[in-house]
């Protein structure tokens, strides 16, 4: 007959609680350096957090539509963000038609959320994105029953999302082709890829945008000149493709020759070798570098303001020009920064998911 042993006092919940407190105390105060850093950081929080809370929440004006309430307040003027939310999010898009960019934003975000699911990674996903962007450009531009709105009147969050998704979505496969071309044994293909990649990487994005916006009209007749929005989109795509190509080339170089030899021994042709054997491993290796490059490109879309496109930052500056309000610039740029942070942080978490999923998939 089995005998039940009494529970040891070491296994009581109080023991685990005190053990956790001891580990925390050792972590924070285990060494003189840790203790000094803990006290310094605690003092910094004590000095900075209460004033920030007072400004952000306690003394802030939240939803009062009266601009004079912000002038009299000592805290943040969030009512400006509330009153100007339409202009901040959609720029100078016609007021009566702002339901269209609102649908566009929801559609893009919904598709991005759907696309991060591994179950959705099928051949139909590309067709879904193509159909969605045909709908997006129809909603934004009009025609076929909707009032036409030129791209010069587009602005805010839809412009940022469209530029980001289209530029990165096209630049990624183009970057793969450029990386393969740079490693090609054909001299003409290799030299052409090197010249393109190094030329683009040697120029700042601002200069490429200026060339697309100012120099191209000098060399092309007006009938063949693309719209300014399209020119900015092409410039962002080329710039992103050049940087992504070098990241992917680093992944290709990390693949041992035995993988190529194994694929050759199976009789796989070049493109099937790349698609089934080499590229999945190469991309998995460089996921952190790819995520870093793409996050930088998300933020680089704000540079289109220098060529007259109304992205989020341009919309914020236009909203601040209203003389009826006290121009709460800090609140406006905190709001815009929060949107960029949400986009960048979400993609960083997705990249982390891919990196953790990689070995299991391999």
């Amino acid at each position: 007959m089995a005998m039940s042993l009494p529970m040891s006092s070491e296994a009581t919940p109080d023991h685990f609680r005190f053990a956790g407190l001891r580990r925390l105390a050792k972590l924070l105060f285990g060494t003189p350096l840790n203790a000094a850093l803990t006290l310094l950081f605690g003092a910094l929080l004590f000095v900075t957090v209460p004033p920030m809370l007072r400004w952000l929440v306690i003394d802030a004006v939240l939803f009062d539509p009266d601009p004079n309430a912000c002038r009299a307040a000592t805290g943040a003027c969030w009512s400006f963000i509330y009153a100007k939310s339409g202009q901040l999010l959609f720029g100078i898009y016609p007021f009566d038609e702002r339901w269209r960019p609102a649908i566009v934003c929801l559609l893009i975000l919904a598709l991005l959320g759907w696309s991060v699911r591994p179950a959705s990674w099928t051949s139909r996903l590309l067709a879904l994105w193509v159909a969605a962007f045909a709908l997006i450009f129809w909603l934004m531009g009009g025609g076929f029953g909707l009032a036409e709105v030129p791209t010069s009147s587009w602005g805010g969050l839809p412009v940022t999302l469209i530029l980001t998704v289209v530029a990165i979505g096209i630049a990624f496969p183009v970057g793969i082709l450029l990386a393969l071309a740079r490693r090609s044994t054909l001299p003409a293909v290799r030299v052409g890829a090197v010249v393109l990649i190094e030329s683009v990487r040697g120029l700042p994005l601002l200069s490429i945008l200026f060339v697309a916006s100012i120099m191209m009209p000098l060399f092309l007749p007006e009938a063949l000149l693309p719209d300014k929005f399209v020119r900015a989109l092409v410039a962002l795509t080329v710039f992103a493709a050049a940087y992504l190509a070098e990241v992917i080339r680093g992944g290709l170089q990390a693949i041992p020759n035995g993988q190529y030899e194994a694929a050759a021994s199976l009789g796989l042709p070049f493109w099937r070798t790349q698609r089934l054997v080499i590229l999945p491993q190469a991309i998995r290796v460089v996921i952190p570098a790819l995520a870093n490059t793409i996050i930088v490109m998300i933020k680089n879309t704000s540079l289109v303001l220098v060529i007259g496109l109304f992205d989020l930052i341009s919309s914020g500056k236009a909203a601040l020009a209203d003389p009826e309000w006290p121009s709460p610039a800090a609140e406006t740029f905190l709001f815009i920064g929060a949107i960029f942070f949400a986009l960048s942080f979400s993609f960083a978490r997705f990249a982390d998911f891919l990196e953790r999923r990689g070995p299991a998939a391999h």
Side-chain angles (χ1 to χ4, degrees):
M1 180 176 179
M3 297 180 62
S4 59
L5 297 176
M7 179 181 292
S8 172
S9 60
E10 296 182 354
T12 61
D14 289 339
H15 168 77
F16 291 113
R17 187 182 305 114
F18 289 126
L21 291 175
R22 284 195 297 269
R23 284 195 297 268
L24 180 61
K26 185 178 180 180
L27 177 65
L28 296 177
F29 301 98
T31 65
L33 178 60
N34 284 355
L37 291 176
T38 299
L39 293 174
L40 179 63
F41 187 68
L44 182 64
L45 290 178
F46 180 77
V47 171
T48 58
V49 170
M52 289 178 60
L53 285 177
R54 284 197 301 270
W55 185 81
L56 288 171
V57 181
I58 298 174
D59 298 333
V61 180
L62 298 178
F63 302 108
D64 193 336
D66 184 9
N68 293 321
C70 283
R71 293 188 176 93
T74 58
C77 180
W78 299 120
S79 61
F80 175 82
I81 306 299
Y82 176 73
K84 295 288 186 178
S85 58
Q87 185 175 359
L88 289 170
L89 292 175
F90 308 126
I92 58 175
Y93 205 88
F95 181 82
D96 294 336
E97 303 292 332
R98 284 181 178 171
W99 60 271
R100 291 155 55 178
I103 293 177
V104 165
C105 292
L106 293 175
L107 180 58
I108 293 177
L109 293 175
L111 280 173
L112 289 173
W114 175 265
S115 300
V116 301
R117 299 169 59 254
S120 67
W121 298 345
T122 65
S123 57
R124 291 178 293 183
L125 184 61
L126 178 60
L128 179 63
W129 272 105
V130 171
F133 264 95
L135 176 62
I136 286 168
F137 280 101
W138 171 64
L139 284 171
M140 291 294 294
F144 300 102
L146 293 178
E148 294 189 5
V149 179
T151 55
S152 58
S153 297
W154 297 9
L157 184 59
V159 168
T160 298
L161 290 177
I162 292 172
L163 289 175
T164 299
V165 173
V166 176
I168 294 174
I170 297 176
F172 186 72
V174 172
I176 292 176
L177 294 177
L178 286 174
L180 294 174
R182 185 159 186 172
R183 289 171 52 86
S184 174
T185 57
L186 301 175
V189 174
R190 184 175 63 255
V191 171
V194 169
V195 169
L196 176 60
I197 291 172
E198 296 303 328
S199 298
V200 173
R201 292 174 69 228
L203 295 172
L205 179 56
L206 278 177
S207 65
I208 298 176
L209 288 170
F210 272 119
V211 168
S213 177
I214 299 173
M215 300 300 293
M216 281 187 65
L218 301 178
F219 297 100
L220 290 177
E222 188 173 352
L224 299 178
L225 188 66
D227 184 82
K228 183 185 289 188
F229 183 86
V230 175
R231 300 201 300 269
L233 185 58
V234 171
L236 288 170
T237 302
V238 172
F239 187 82
Y243 277 84
L244 291 174
E246 285 300 278
V247 173
I248 295 168
R249 186 170 70 93
L252 293 173
Q253 291 178 335
I255 304 302
N257 289 330
Q259 297 293 313
Y260 294 91
E261 295 168 358
S265 67
L266 294 175
L268 294 178
F270 174 80
W271 289 109
R272 292 195 68 188
T273 298
Q274 296 297 329
R275 182 171 64 88
L276 300 177
V277 180
I278 304 302
L279 283 174
Q281 298 181 70
I283 292 174
R284 187 176 300 127
V285 167
V286 296
I287 284 176
L290 283 174
N292 184 61
T293 304
I294 292 174
I295 288 172
V296 170
M297 286 304 305
I298 292 173
K299 295 179 287 187
N300 277 346
T301 56
S302 62
L303 295 177
V304 298
L305 66 90
V306 301
I307 61 173
L309 292 180
F310 270 77
D311 72 319
L312 271 172
I313 296 180
S314 302
S315 300
K317 289 182 176 180
L320 288 171
D322 189 343
E324 294 185 1
W325 288 87
S327 298
E331 295 88 328
T332 300
F333 288 111
L334 279 174
F335 175 73
I336 294 171
I339 294 176
F340 275 106
F341 175 81
L343 294 175
S344 301
F345 184 78
S346 299
F347 184 81
R349 294 301 91 205
F350 173 61
D352 182 64
F353 161 74
L354 291 180
E355 192 174 4
R356 287 184 283 105
R357 184 178 182 269
H362 179 66

